[in-house]
Amino acid sequence: MTDQIQPIILTGDRTTGPLHLGHYAGSLKNRVGLQHTHRQFLLLADTQALTDNAHDPDKVRRNVIEVALDYLAVGIDPALSTICLQSALPALAELSMLYLNFVTVARLERNPTIKDEIQARGFGRDIPAGFLCYPAAQAADITAFKAQVVPVGEDQAPLIEQTNEIVRRINRQVGRDILPEARALIPAIGRLPGVDGKAKMSKSQGNAIPLSASSDDIRDAVHRMYTDPNHLRVSDPGSIEGNVVFMYLDAFDEDPAGVEDLKARYRHGGLGDMAVKRRLEDVLQALLAPIRERRAALARDPEFVLDIVRQGTLKARATTQETLDDVRRALGLFAFDG
Amino acid sequence: MTDQIQPIILTGDRTTGPLHLGHYAGSLKNRVGLQHTHRQFLLLADTQALTDNAHDPDKVRRNVIEVALDYLAVGIDPALSTICLQSALPALAELSMLYLNFVTVARLERNPTIKDEIQARGFGRDIPAGFLCYPAAQAADITAFKAQVVPVGEDQAPLIEQTNEIVRRINRQVGRDILPEARALIPAIGRLPGVDGKAKMSKSQGNAIPLSASSDDIRDAVHRMYTDPNHLRVSDPGSIEGNVVFMYLDAFDEDPAGVEDLKARYRHGGLGDMAVKRRLEDVLQALLAPIRERRAALARDPEFVLDIVRQGTLKARATTQETLDDVRRALGLFAFDG
């Protein structure tokens, strides 16, 4: 069984909206590759999404199928990857509650990821307790699958360290390694900016290109994409740094030599924004057309998609319950069912 | 079905040690009465016990059966009351994690019960996150059973208020009363002091009389009981205030007129400590002998006791899962199984 020797990956997305090109470049594309060499679990993180969306659970629910559609559309293969729903895995909540006893409030507050996100979301003192506690919940997710590899953005690396602290504390207490430590897998490509040049692409900012974008949407988005504001005439030399069009070309154009050539001509002067944008539009249309088509076909059969999520979740239930039982047994808790 | 009209009570104990006379006076005795007029759930709170005993889960496990033995020994009738194990009810962890999103960290920190207990346990900044979060977990316990009445000590009343805040917030969000508010039932008798006169009776302080105390243990405990340190000679007038022997007589002697008579004679002078202690010893021996006997008989058949806990827990699983489903459905979360 190759299953036994493939390292386990846990990854996933909060179900707060359909995924976009930033997700594709930063993670989805990698996952399609990783599923051939790893045992990969993809978590539809609806419970985690609630930690800052408790006022709008409807949004969180509606987007479960949207994210699942995105996964399947980009080429996640349910025969190779397990897509599962966080809220339907009770062992995750049970492990989370257990782990909260193995981490102090002071430690959670020191977590740089949490600090940054509290600031970004403007929570201040009125941060929901669930949000403060989410590193423990994430440790539950990661360890429940006994994941050894967790692909995350650079800013999320401290969360993996927090997970490993809990793992070490429990392993030390029980006197053997019942839980593996996890390693952050940080993608080579940094975060893709929004089409407006802002650091973060997000649906709420209106600067994202969703995976389901129509041909017109793509054209419009590329058209209004941020370039070099000082590049007024075609003959002027242009700047590549911070130029979103080139950043997207770097991320998506499969002809890097061609991109280097365009960059040289742009820097020199004589290459207009429109010409570069035309190239990017072609690249993105070619990338997204099959994804959009596949997504639309799947969206016509939601029961088929939900059934994939159901099958994956049942498999994940067995895996996560087994880990919970291991941890409870090793800690010497009361074994009710056995 | 009388079940339908009886109010629901949730009560229980942390499984950190066998119960003692303080528990009997403060809650167990009432529960034996309440089970005839209420639908009563008794929670063996092993998960909550872990919030400050994560370093010693073994203690928490061992005491599950001890507390169950105490319940049955004092007259809790499994046909009238449901004894269930907290850690074997996954819906409680799931509701806890959900409720953490409906309460802020600032609000948890303001909870006077938590504040006091942090101080009493010497936690300071290194409080385990699970301990800070336990009001949300308690709200999960109470609401999972849709309990309307929760017997608590006066110092625990703020936890019920915290529960009701979460209940109101969820009911308001979903636009109807899916969860009932709970009412604190504060016992008429205040907290019983330790035999040494300290405010709190506890096993760890060595000042408690366990329900399983032998006849000799009871005699010794009464003998060293704190009275009036200024009452040196039998003929001296003695003081009743802070006199543990009289506090115990008030709590346990079923002849209050006789106790009043002893008090008058003690105050006046001419009644020795030994005479009063003899009376108390008789009372306690009479109270505890049948409890001890019953407890010892049950302890010889642990499988019988565990089976009662198992049956109760299965019943409680159905009840708590139903509530979780109700809450999830009302909030509009993804319904995986339905």
Side-chain angles (χ1 to χ4, degrees):
Chain A
M1 305 287 286
T2 55
D3 252 23
Q4 297 302 313
I5 50 160
Q6 287 186 334
I8 298 170
I9 284 197
L10 177 70
T11 176
D13 294 276
R14 296 156 46 96
T15 60
T16 49
L19 303 181
H20 52 59
L21 267 186
H23 297 110
Y24 185 81
S27 59
L28 294 177
K29 193 180 169 188
N30 289 336
R31 294 179 195 169
V32 173
L34 289 165
Q35 67 186 340
H36 296 282
T37 51
H38 291 70
R39 206 171 143 205
Q40 180 167 257
F41 291 92
L42 296 165
L43 198 57
L44 299 164
D46 59 342
T47 305
Q48 199 202 102
L50 280 178
T51 61
D52 57 342
N53 287 282
H55 58 286
D56 191 5
D58 192 53
K59 177 175 82 174
V60 173
R61 177 183 51 76
R62 276 185 288 110
N63 282 298
V64 166
I65 191 160
E66 296 300 325
V67 175
L69 280 170
D70 287 327
Y71 286 170
L72 298 171
V74 299
I76 295 295
D77 178 349
L80 299 174
S81 294
T82 304
I83 301 173
C84 53
L85 183 66
Q86 193 176 31
S87 66
L89 301 171
L92 300 185
E94 294 189 78
L95 278 174
S96 298
M97 290 301 289
L98 194 56
Y99 291 174
L100 282 176
N101 302 320
F102 289 94
V103 60
T104 64
V105 173
R107 177 64 184 88
L108 290 174
E109 285 170 346
R110 276 200 310 273
N111 189 309
T113 316
I114 290 292
K115 263 191 186 163
D116 291 354
E117 297 203 10
I118 286 172
Q119 203 160 23
R121 286 175 166 76
F123 272 147
R125 292 293 297 150
D126 282 337
I127 174 180
F131 193 79
L132 178 71
C133 294
Y134 106 60
Q138 199 173 44
D141 298 342
I142 293 170
T143 57
F145 292 97
K146 298 195 170 167
Q148 295 135 294
V149 181
V150 183
V152 287
E154 201 156 358
D155 52 336
Q156 301 265 311
L159 289 170
I160 310 298
E161 193 38 48
Q162 170 72 84
T163 296
N164 288 340
E165 279 179 34
I166 293 173
V167 164
R168 285 193 290 269
R169 180 149 174 214
I170 289 178
N171 286 345
R172 197 163 56 235
Q173 180 160 324
V174 306
R176 61 196 167 84
D177 289 352
I178 49 161
L179 296 172
E181 292 193 37
R183 184 170 59 79
L185 180 67
I186 296 166
I189 292 180
R191 181 180 272 177
L192 203 66
V195 298
D196 55 1
K198 285 199 183 135
K200 198 173 173 181
M201 185 188 276
S202 94
K203 195 181 155 235
S204 60
Q205 303 248 9
N207 65 356
I209 301 176
L211 295 177
S212 57
S214 69
S215 172
D216 285 355
D217 291 342
I218 296 168
R219 183 166 43 249
D220 289 352
V222 173
H223 186 75
R224 64 194 170 89
M225 209 169 257
Y226 182 87
T227 57
D228 171 5
N230 299 315
H231 186 237
L232 300 175
R233 282 172 304 188
V234 171
S235 56
D236 288 346
S239 175
I240 305 295
E241 285 65 46
N243 190 317
V244 175
V245 180
F246 281 104
M247 292 165 94
Y248 276 52
L249 281 173
D250 280 337
F252 300 110
D253 196 326
E254 294 189 353
D255 173 16
V259 173
E260 289 311 310
D261 184 51
L262 286 177
K263 284 182 183 171
R265 288 164 57 204
Y266 192 81
R267 279 201 190 90
H268 176 272
L271 181 63
D273 280 357
M274 283 315 295
V276 194
K277 286 186 171 177
R278 239 182 337 261
R279 171 68 196 168
L280 178 61
E281 200 207 318
D282 288 347
V283 167
L284 294 185
Q285 296 287 12
L287 172 68
L288 291 178
I291 293 176
R292 177 175 58 238
E293 201 175 312
R294 202 171 144 71
R295 199 181 189 286
L298 288 159
R300 280 190 292 274
D301 193 355
E303 266 314 307
F304 174 78
V305 176
L306 290 177
D307 205 51
I308 288 170
V309 176
R310 267 188 215 108
Q311 296 301 320
T313 303
L314 291 178
K315 193 172 155 191
R317 266 191 193 165
T319 304
T320 55
Q321 184 63 45
E322 200 180 310
T323 304
L324 175 64
D325 291 344
D326 285 353
V327 172
R328 291 176 51 84
R329 203 178 306 117
L331 282 171
L333 293 177
F334 196 91
F336 181 78
D337 291 305
Chain B
M1 303 290 284
T2 54
D3 253 24
Q4 296 304 313
I5 50 160
Q6 288 186 335
I8 298 171
I9 284 197
L10 177 71
T11 175
D13 294 276
R14 294 154 48 95
T15 61
T16 50
L19 304 181
H20 53 58
L21 267 186
H23 296 110
Y24 185 81
S27 59
L28 295 176
K29 193 180 168 189
N30 289 336
R31 294 178 194 171
V32 174
L34 288 166
Q35 68 186 340
H36 296 283
T37 50
H38 292 70
R39 207 171 141 203
Q40 182 168 255
F41 292 92
L42 296 166
L43 198 57
L44 298 164
D46 59 342
T47 305
Q48 198 201 102
L50 281 177
T51 61
D52 57 341
N53 287 282
H55 58 285
D56 191 5
D58 192 54
K59 177 176 82 175
V60 173
R61 178 183 51 74
R62 277 185 288 110
N63 282 296
V64 166
I65 190 162
E66 296 300 326
V67 176
L69 280 170
D70 288 327
Y71 286 170
L72 297 171
V74 298
I76 294 295
D77 179 349
L80 297 174
S81 294
T82 305
I83 301 174
C84 52
L85 182 66
Q86 194 177 30
S87 66
L89 301 171
L92 300 184
E94 294 189 79
L95 278 174
S96 298
M97 290 301 289
L98 193 56
Y99 290 174
L100 282 176
N101 303 319
F102 288 94
V103 60
T104 65
V105 173
R107 176 65 182 90
L108 290 174
E109 285 170 346
R110 274 201 310 273
N111 190 308
T113 315
I114 290 292
K115 264 190 183 163
D116 291 353
E117 298 202 9
I118 287 173
Q119 202 159 24
R121 287 173 166 78
F123 272 145
R125 291 294 296 152
D126 282 338
I127 172 180
F131 193 79
L132 178 71
C133 295
Y134 104 61
Q138 199 173 46
D141 298 342
I142 293 170
T143 57
F145 292 98
K146 298 196 171 169
Q148 295 136 294
V149 181
V150 183
V152 287
E154 200 155 0
D155 52 335
Q156 299 266 312
L159 289 169
I160 309 299
E161 191 37 47
Q162 170 73 85
T163 297
N164 288 339
E165 279 179 35
I166 294 173
V167 165
R168 285 192 291 268
R169 183 153 168 209
I170 290 179
N171 286 345
R172 197 165 53 237
Q173 180 161 322
V174 305
R176 61 198 167 86
D177 289 353
I178 49 161
L179 296 172
E181 292 193 37
R183 184 169 60 81
L185 181 66
I186 296 167
I189 292 179
R191 181 180 271 177
L192 203 66
V195 298
D196 55 2
K198 283 195 187 142
K200 197 173 172 180
M201 185 187 276
S202 94
K203 193 179 159 238
S204 61
Q205 304 248 10
N207 65 358
I209 301 175
L211 295 177
S212 58
S214 69
S215 171
D216 285 355
D217 292 342
I218 296 167
R219 182 166 44 248
D220 289 352
V222 173
H223 186 75
R224 64 193 170 88
M225 210 168 257
Y226 182 86
T227 56
D228 172 4
N230 298 316
H231 185 237
L232 301 175
R233 282 173 303 190
V234 171
S235 57
D236 286 345
S239 175
I240 304 297
E241 284 66 45
N243 190 317
V244 175
V245 181
F246 280 104
M247 292 165 94
Y248 276 52
L249 281 174
D250 279 336
F252 300 110
D253 195 326
E254 293 188 354
D255 173 16
V259 174
E260 289 312 309
D261 183 52
L262 287 176
K263 284 181 182 172
R265 288 164 57 202
Y266 192 82
R267 279 202 189 93
H268 176 269
L271 181 62
D273 280 358
M274 284 313 296
V276 193
K277 286 185 171 177
R278 237 180 342 257
R279 170 68 197 171
L280 177 60
E281 200 207 317
D282 289 347
V283 167
L284 294 185
Q285 296 286 12
L287 171 68
L288 291 178
I291 293 176
R292 177 175 61 238
E293 201 176 315
R294 199 170 146 73
R295 199 182 189 286
L298 288 160
R300 282 190 290 274
D301 192 356
E303 267 314 307
F304 173 78
V305 175
L306 290 176
D307 206 52
I308 288 171
V309 176
R310 269 187 214 106
Q311 296 303 321
T313 302
L314 292 178
K315 192 172 156 191
R317 268 193 191 163
T319 304
T320 55
Q321 186 62 46
E322 199 179 312
T323 304
L324 174 64
D325 291 344
D326 285 354
V327 171
R328 290 175 52 84
R329 202 177 307 118
L331 282 171
L333 294 177
F334 196 90
F336 181 78
D337 290 306

